[in-house]
Amino acid sequence: MRMTDIEAPGHERLVRVEDDASGLRAFIAIHSTRLGPAAGGLRMRPYESEQAAIEDVLRLSRGMTFKNAAAGLPLGGGKAVIIGDPAADKSPELLLAFGEAVEALGGRYWTAEDMGMSPRDMEIIARRTAHVAGLAEGPHASGDPSPVTAQGVFNAMRIAARRRLGSENLSGRAVAVQGLGHVGEHLCRLLHEAGARLIVTDVARPAVERAVARFGALAVSPDEIYDAPADIFAPCAIGATLNEATIARLKVKVVAGAANNQLATPEDGRRLHERGILLAPDFVANGGGIINVAAEIGRIPDREEWVAEKLAALEDTLERILSRAEALSCSPAEVAESIVEEILSRRAA
Ligand code: NAD
């Protein structure tokens, strides 16, 4: 196994990992350890080039610095990517080699699951390193973070609804949910229990059928979700679904969802603001998952209580962001970034 440092401006470290025996080709990016060890998941995708993998890992590790800081966690930002098809190229040997690389970083980077990875894969990685979270079993295992992520998104939705719709009571409100995967389905359940009406979409037909059967949701096609006559839009599928064309079509007054990097460009935050649509910034709204993982990293004994406290603090942070955005009449996305910059510079001082 070979580890080579690559120059990456704005990042503390970018390491290329290569192992001929297992075929591992990976990159580990450490954006910042100013608040603590860098933490962020491991993604496996058949990237079309090493450059594409590097761009993804750098963007995602910076995003983790912001998400961890906004959630008030003693963690910095990092991320790892493996180049390959998880269905065809993943093997125990490859995961063990990756675990060795994480261990060689001496605890400056903590890994966990992300796209293309499962708790079972984390168990294999854990045979080579102690710096792995998202395990399914064990004294501190945090399991699936999705229910906590969904709870955080639901909380963010209520806060934004109070400010833009006049009440945080979601009973009778129409919510358009894009993506009914791990988070989207839990979110639909919370919304259904709160009395909201659901308009849903997914590219996977069975997920849509489940939401219709369980929650009485109205199903629309993946493209029609932008035109849905709803109060709230919840992007819970992929990134960059909010762009110039889709924002122009939205009928909603609030956007709050789980997807990372929902805005295609920073201008799209301004576009939402100009249309009077209140955005709960993604890295604040979806911080519940990393809070859950952080409890495992920190070996927190009373995890439920600790997670609940951190979720409540995340609500306060969102209130602060939305208040400042209102006072400055600007996009909450811009304010969220500047608030995190403040947290980081306070720590540096
Ligand atoms: P998931 O893969 O379980 O679910 C995503 C769902 O979106 C799938 O059902 C998929 O079929 C659907 N989808 C994909 N493209 C679509 C499209 N164009 N239109 C409609 N549906 C589409 O993922 P997840 O764990 O539920 O996460 C959802 C999003 O939230 C992702 O962007 C993820 O990065 C982010 N996120 C998840 C967590 C977590 O705890 N799981 C935490 C933070 C952020």
Side-chain angles (χ1 to χ4, degrees):
M1 201 253 307
R2 287 186 302 285
M3 294 175 72
T4 325
D5 271 274
I6 300 174
E7 184 87 15
H11 280 67
E12 288 181 17
R13 235 178 135 178
L14 172 64
V15 182
R16 183 177 197 279
V17 185
E18 226 178 341
D19 178 57
D20 295 337
S22 64
L24 175 70
R25 260 193 315 155
F27 292 95
I28 301 177
I30 297 178
H31 175 257
S32 168
T33 54
R34 206 177 282 172
L35 300 180
L42 164 63
R43 178 171 288 197
M44 183 166 183
R45 277 184 64 188
Y47 291 99
E48 58 198 29
S49 65
E50 289 211 349
Q51 198 47 42
I54 289 174
E55 276 167 24
D56 209 29
V57 81
L58 293 179
R59 183 179 61 87
L60 291 165
S61 64
R62 179 179 183 276
M64 287 311 300
T65 298
F66 280 75
K67 193 186 294 203
N68 292 337
L73 299 171
L75 296 173
K79 200 87 185 183
V81 298
I82 294 179
I83 301 177
D85 176 355
D89 305 326
K90 204 194 287 173
S91 66
E93 294 71 30
L94 180 127
L95 295 171
L96 291 170
F98 178 77
E100 275 173 35
V102 172
E103 188 59 21
L105 293 171
R108 285 189 71 209
Y109 167 67
W110 275 75
T111 201
E113 14 166 350
D114 193 64
M115 278 165 58
M117 287 292 141
S118 69
R120 176 84 199 104
D121 298 327
M122 294 303 116
E123 303 284 351
I124 297 173
I125 291 170
R127 289 189 218 148
R128 291 289 185 272
T129 181
H131 305 119
V132 52
L135 302 175
E137 284 169 36
H140 302 284
S142 61
D144 179 8
S146 311
V148 187
T149 303
Q151 184 64 54
V153 172
F154 181 74
N155 297 347
M157 227 177 236
R158 280 197 324 226
I159 289 172
R162 176 161 40 72
R163 287 171 174 264
R164 188 48 49 94
L165 302 170
S167 166
E168 66 174 35
N169 183 355
L170 298 179
S171 180
R173 294 287 181 200
V175 185
V177 182
Q178 178 184 49
L180 303 167
H182 289 91
V183 182
E185 188 163 358
H186 285 294
L187 180 64
C188 284
R189 180 178 42 77
L190 292 171
L191 288 166
H192 180 65
E193 285 165 9
R197 286 185 296 119
L198 294 168
I199 303 173
V200 300
T201 196
D202 197 292
V203 288
R205 197 66 219 157
V208 174
E209 282 163 11
R210 267 199 311 275
V212 170
R214 286 186 191 163
F215 313 122
L218 174 72
V220 298
S221 74
D223 185 58
E224 284 168 345
I225 198 76
Y226 303 107
D227 308 310
D231 301 295
I232 301 171
F233 176 51
C236 298
I238 49 172
T241 63
L242 294 166
N243 56 45
E244 190 172 6
T246 59
I247 289 170
R249 291 164 60 186
L250 293 178
K251 309 275 186 295
V252 299
K253 291 269 176 262
V254 166
V255 172
N260 287 312
N261 306 313
Q262 293 165 19
L263 302 174
T265 67
E267 286 74 54
D268 295 311
R270 259 164 262 151
R271 288 194 176 100
L272 286 170
H273 175 67
E274 278 158 17
R275 288 216 49 217
I277 300 170
L278 186 61
L279 171 74
D282 47 21
F283 66 81
V284 184
N286 71 14
I290 193 67
I291 288 175
N292 198 57
V293 169
E296 181 174 347
I297 293 177
R299 311 258 190 269
I300 305 292
D302 303 317
R303 54 172 301 117
E304 274 187 29
E305 204 179 307
W306 188 85
V307 166
E309 270 170 29
K310 291 285 176 197
L311 278 178
L314 196 57
E315 289 191 59
D316 293 343
T317 301
L318 180 60
E319 294 277 15
R320 203 148 54 89
I321 290 166
L322 298 184
S323 293
R324 198 188 287 186
E326 197 177 314
L328 299 174
S329 187
C330 70
S331 159
E334 284 171 54
V335 174
E337 293 241 349
S338 65
I339 281 187
V340 169
E341 302 279 11
E342 283 166 25
I343 294 172
L344 292 170
S345 59
R346 267 205 305 276
R347 182 53 71 96

